[in-house]
């Protein structure tokens, strides 16, 4: 191998929330020489790439930010309850500027491979710009939903119109005015994009494979008094969300849906529905995600809402979820999603009743034996979640063993942040950590703080490598599977289970342990306090 031209203490891959915070900590807390590589042309990560119409965060804006920049928490004014994609990008640019992060970031550069050199105990990292650098620590900050899933549909190359995936939308947007548009996919992204595209397009056809349980976002301006009160109490809020199960101000009700009277249950469902956002999903009865009968009570309430909103009963029926438990797929938040199907220019093609997509033709999409013509097709078909972005990095650990091979039957990690056989590799919000089941900045900060503490401890004690033991890793994998197995989450064909990608192993990808991110934080801190139990330091 050619010798590395530059050496760093740490290489960080990705300049979204994770990479930005990681750089700040490594450089400004620990005084390390760090380099961030980023494929995009600026900071932002997911918020740089996902610029589809209606793209907005589903977490409330006052908790969708860095908690360590206390001054900015006071100065920044979010325009609405949920931040829109361009606003989050502006926020992240501001953070980058305030902390002078870009000087250690290299943009328009994709990491194409990284190998652990057992002679020097250093990582050698290659980029698509032909560089090779070395680093003691390799930290992935590549996000969990960043490997685009373009379905392998026959004939896409024949299509004469234009097509886009929501996660790779053109800068400056797409003008749908007067166009016949198809949207394929009705996950959280499709649910956000469909009502916005329907306002512009001449004709919108939605291709649904699985109907979704949606809950209203209830976006809007936030009362200035509420904003002020939050700013005055940020320390308390931050403490609460860090200790909470989902990094949100939502806690499951310590009650069973089955032991509550129908009248009280209806009142509680109405309260959560009216509150909007993730209240219905994350603040529901404690047995909602573990007991089929309790779950059905919640699901039935949401199904009634669909029937009450969609005017054509046949369309309402097709939009009503069937065959899987509520909450086992990611909760989409909607703004006029079901109402959109009352519009004259919107058509639903449901795979189960109208027939699945068979092929893409020169002029459109053939489904259920019928051809539909389009000028534009938008794929809102999601991602090869969690493992996809890491496997794509071409990382090789001890003995030249590829991470992608080691994970052929699903991820194997310790705490979702380390992998046996891959010394000094840290995976921020990696599979088998709470990550996507959490308000992401909270999960990211927990990992970044823990990694920073770990590197600091290693340097103080003169250690140069840290590596998860295979035994600790096996124990963690078993624990992750056991925790998921106690819920209904493993019963759905969700991306949490890898079920959206043909051939992907069916494994529950994130960690859903007791007390969520709060409990996981305690566990990680205990492991550190015990001298990094389950790791070997050399
Ligand atoms: O992707 P998805 P997404 N033929 O995988 C369908 C986050 N997010 O981009 O359900 C036809 O959920 C697929 O059908 P099915 C959030 O975590 C965050 O919507 O697999 N259809 C489904 O309907 C979210 O969960 C925010 O049967 C096909 C859709 O495409 C995650 O991103 C906002 C198909 C894909 O849904 C992913 O959401 C938006 C095929 N071959 C999203 N393949 C925030 O608030 C797939 N589908 C931060």
């Amino acid at each position: 191998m050619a010798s590395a031209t530059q050496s760093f203490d740490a290489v960080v891959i990705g300049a979204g929330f994770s990479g930005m915070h990681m750089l700040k900590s490594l450089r400004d807390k620990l005084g390390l020489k760090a380099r961030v590589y980023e494929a995009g042309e600026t900071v932002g990560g997911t918020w740089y790439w996902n610029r589809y119409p209606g793209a907005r965060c589903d977490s409330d804006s006052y908790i969708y930010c860095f908690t360590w920049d206390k001054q900015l928490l006071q100065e920044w004014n979010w325009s609405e309850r949920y931040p829109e994609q361009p606003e989050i990008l502006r926020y992240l640019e501001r953070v980058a500027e305030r902390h002078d992060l870009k000087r250690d970031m290299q943009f328009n550069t994709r990491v194409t491979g990284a190998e652990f050199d057992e002679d020097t105990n250093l990582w050698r990292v290659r980029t698509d710009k032909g560089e090779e650098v070395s680093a003691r620590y390799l930290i992935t900050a590549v996000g969990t939903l960043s490997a685009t899933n373009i379905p392998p549909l026959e004939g896409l190359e024949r299509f004469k119109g234009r097509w886009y995936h929501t996660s790779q939308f053109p800068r400056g947007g797409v003008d749908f005015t007067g166009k016949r548009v198809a949207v394929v996919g009705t996950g959280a992204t499709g649910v956000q994009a469909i009502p916005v595209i329907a306002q512009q397009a001449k004709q919108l056809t939605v291709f649904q494979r699985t109907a979704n349980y949606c809950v209203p976002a209830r976006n809007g301006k936030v009362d200035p008094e509420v904003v002020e009160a939050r700013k005055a109490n940020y320390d308390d809020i931050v403490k609460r969300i860090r200790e909470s199960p989902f990094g949100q101000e939502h806690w499951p009700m310590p009650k069973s849906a089955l032991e509550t009277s129908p009248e009280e249950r209806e009142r509680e469902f109405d309260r959560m529905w009216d509150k909007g956002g993730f209240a219905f999903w994350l603040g529901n009865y404690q047995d909602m995600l573990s007991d089929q009968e309790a779950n059905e009570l919640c699901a039935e309430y949401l199904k009634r809402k669909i029937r009450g909103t969609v005017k054509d009963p046949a369309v309402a029926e097709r939009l009503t979820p069937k065959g899987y438990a509520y909450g086992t797929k990611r909760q989409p938040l909607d703004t006029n999603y079901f109402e959109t199907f009352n519009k004259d220019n919107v058509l639903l093609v449901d795979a189960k009743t109208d027939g699945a997509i068979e092929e893409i033709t020169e002029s459109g999409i053939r489904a259920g034996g019928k051809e539909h013509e389009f000028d534009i097709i938008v794929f809102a078909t999601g991602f090869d979640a969690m493992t996809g972005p890491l496997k794509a990095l071409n990382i090789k650990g001890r003995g030249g063993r590829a991470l992608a091979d080691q994970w052929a039957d699903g991820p194997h990690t310790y705490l979702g942040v380390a992998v046996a056989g891959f010394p000094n590799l840290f995976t921020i919000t990696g599979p088998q950590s709470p990550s996507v089941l959490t308000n992401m900045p909270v999960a990211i900060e927990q990992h970044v703080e823990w990694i920073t503490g770990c590197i600091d401890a290693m340097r103080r004690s003169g250690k140069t490598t840290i590596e998860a033991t295979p035994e600790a890793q096996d124990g963690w994998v078993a624990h992750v599977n056991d925790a998921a197995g106690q819920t209904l989450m493993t019963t759905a064909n969700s991306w949490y289970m890898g079920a959206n990608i043909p051939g992907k192993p069916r494994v529950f990808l994130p960690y859903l342990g007791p007390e969520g991110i709060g409990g996981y934080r305690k566990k990680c801190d205990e492991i550190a306090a015990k001298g990094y139990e389950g790791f070997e330091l050399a």
Side-chain angles (χ1 to χ4, degrees):
M1 194 189 289
S3 67
T5 48
Q6 281 196 78
S7 62
F8 297 98
D9 295 313
V11 160
V12 178
I13 312 174
F17 267 91
S18 311
M20 293 173 73
H21 185 194
M22 195 71 245
L23 172 63
K24 170 78 184 160
S25 292
L26 292 171
R27 191 190 68 187
D28 297 349
K29 260 199 186 145
L30 302 186
L32 299 192
K33 186 178 172 197
R35 161 66 53 89
V36 176
Y37 289 111
E38 164 58 53
E41 60 196 22
T42 185
V43 293
T46 214
W47 300 106
Y48 169 79
W49 297 103
N50 285 268
R51 4 181 150 92
Y52 59 86
R56 191 182 283 283
C57 180
D58 286 337
S59 292
D60 286 53
S61 31
Y62 75 100
I63 51 166
Y64 200 79
C65 39
F66 289 122
T67 64
W68 47 266
D69 190 334
K70 292 194 177 198
Q71 194 185 336
L72 196 55
L73 285 179
Q74 295 302 322
E75 287 174 5
W76 190 267
N77 291 308
W78 295 102
S79 59
E80 290 182 305
R81 175 171 174 183
Y82 303 96
E84 229 185 344
Q85 176 263 337
E87 195 172 16
I88 303 174
L89 209 48
R90 280 201 299 280
Y91 167 79
L92 291 174
E93 287 285 359
R94 177 83 167 272
V95 173
E97 190 189 302
R98 283 168 59 80
H99 300 279
D100 194 14
L101 297 179
K102 288 192 181 180
R103 88 178 132 93
D104 293 302
M105 293 178 163
Q106 184 171 321
F107 298 104
N108 301 306
T109 305
R110 192 172 281 280
V111 168
T112 52
E115 278 165 38
F116 185 72
D117 183 334
E118 291 183 68
D119 295 333
T120 58
N121 284 334
L122 295 174
W123 283 96
R124 287 174 177 267
V125 183
R126 291 184 306 280
T127 76
D128 63 356
K129 295 287 176 289
E131 290 150 300
E132 183 175 302
V133 301
S134 71
R136 171 81 52 211
Y137 304 101
L138 178 64
I139 304 174
T140 62
V142 289
T144 51
L145 295 157
S146 50
T148 298
N149 171 38
I150 297 168
L153 293 166
E154 204 189 305
L156 185 55
E157 71 292 343
R158 284 201 299 262
F159 182 55
K160 291 259 167 61
R162 286 174 292 148
W163 67 268
Y164 308 97
H165 189 280
T166 45
S167 72
Q168 294 170 352
F169 240 60
R171 288 203 126 178
V174 172
D175 186 5
F176 295 102
T177 315
K179 302 282 192 246
R180 298 162 304 169
V181 182
V183 173
V184 180
T186 54
T189 300
V191 165
Q192 286 187 334
I194 285 161
V196 181
I197 296 175
Q199 283 172 16
Q200 262 188 35
K202 182 166 88 180
Q203 168 71 38
L204 171 66
T205 305
V206 175
F207 289 84
Q208 169 184 276
R209 188 164 73 175
T210 308
N212 236 322
Y213 294 97
C214 303
V215 165
R218 305 209 186 284
N219 189 31
K221 297 277 174 220
V222 179
D223 183 339
E225 281 181 22
V226 172
V227 173
E228 280 320 304
R230 283 176 178 158
K231 287 193 176 187
N233 289 295
Y234 247 126
D235 286 348
D236 292 343
I237 291 171
V238 169
K239 184 170 185 300
R240 277 201 298 275
I241 59 175
R242 285 165 69 94
E243 291 171 0
S244 73
F246 308 110
Q248 308 257 358
E249 293 206 83
H250 296 297
W251 290 261
M253 282 187 274
K255 282 189 227 174
S256 159
L258 302 172
E259 288 161 13
T260 308
S261 71
E263 298 73 27
E264 186 188 334
R265 220 166 35 223
E266 192 70 7
R267 272 198 306 278
E268 291 289 11
F269 286 158
D270 284 345
R271 177 185 59 75
M272 292 181 277
W273 174 265
D274 291 343
K275 198 168 175 185
F278 287 136
F280 204 92
W281 191 35
L282 305 178
N284 214 307
Y285 289 100
Q286 64 180 12
D287 49 357
M288 184 269 281
L289 265 182
S290 56
D291 185 293
Q292 186 69 42
E293 219 183 309
N295 188 283
E296 273 164 25
L297 295 167
C298 306
E300 195 43 51
Y301 179 89
L302 297 179
K303 290 178 188 183
R304 265 192 278 141
K305 292 290 185 189
I306 299 171
R307 291 183 206 117
T309 307
V310 180
K311 292 193 178 128
D312 181 334
V315 177
E317 186 55 27
R318 287 184 292 156
L319 287 168
T320 300
K322 293 174 191 75
Y324 69 97
Y326 166 64
T328 52
K329 284 162 89 90
R330 158 61 148 79
Q331 170 73 73
L333 298 187
D334 86 274
T335 302
N336 298 327
Y337 176 66
F338 292 117
E339 289 82 348
T340 298
F341 293 90
N342 293 332
K343 291 170 84 116
D344 291 338
N345 68 331
V346 177
L347 176 73
L348 176 69
V349 176
D350 172 42
K352 295 196 175 62
T353 51
D354 304 308
I357 297 176
E358 286 144 11
E359 61 170 341
I360 309 290
T361 65
E362 275 190 17
S363 51
I365 296 178
R366 182 185 298 281
K370 187 166 181 246
E371 182 155 358
H372 303 259
E373 296 194 347
F374 300 111
D375 304 303
I376 301 173
I377 301 174
V378 176
F379 290 102
T381 45
F383 304 90
D384 181 354
M386 306 203 76
T387 47
L390 292 169
K391 284 172 127 182
L393 288 173
N394 192 17
I395 295 178
K396 292 184 177 152
R398 283 198 194 281
R401 182 101 202 265
L403 185 73
D405 293 341
Q406 191 142 322
W407 286 5
D409 62 348
H412 296 263
T413 77
Y414 183 39
L415 301 172
V417 75
V419 185
F422 295 75
N424 295 355
L425 168 71
F426 297 100
T427 53
I428 302 178
T429 64
Q432 300 176 336
S433 75
S435 61
V436 291
L437 300 174
T438 315
N439 172 32
M440 283 308 275
V442 177
I444 288 166
E445 290 191 2
Q446 186 270 333
H447 263 181
V448 169
E449 287 167 17
W450 191 88
I451 294 165
T452 306
C454 176
I455 293 177
D456 191 28
M458 284 174 71
R459 291 171 67 86
R460 285 174 195 277
S461 58
K463 307 288 186 196
T464 50
T465 59
I466 182 165
E467 187 176 351
T469 67
E471 297 73 35
Q473 178 166 285
D474 289 348
W476 184 251
V477 173
H479 172 59
V480 169
N481 291 334
D482 182 51
Q486 292 176 30
T487 72
L488 300 170
M489 297 298 278
T490 54
T491 62
N493 288 328
S494 64
W495 61 256
Y496 295 135
M497 291 297 297
N500 61 327
I501 303 294
K504 190 166 174 174
R506 194 180 166 89
V507 179
F508 190 70
L509 293 167
Y511 172 53
L512 180 54
E515 300 173 60
I517 184 77
Y520 172 82
R521 180 189 303 275
K522 274 190 237 156
K523 193 181 276 278
C524 289
D525 289 348
E526 280 164 21
I527 284 168
K530 288 183 194 159
Y532 294 90
E533 190 180 47
F535 288 93
E536 218 164 83
L537 287 123

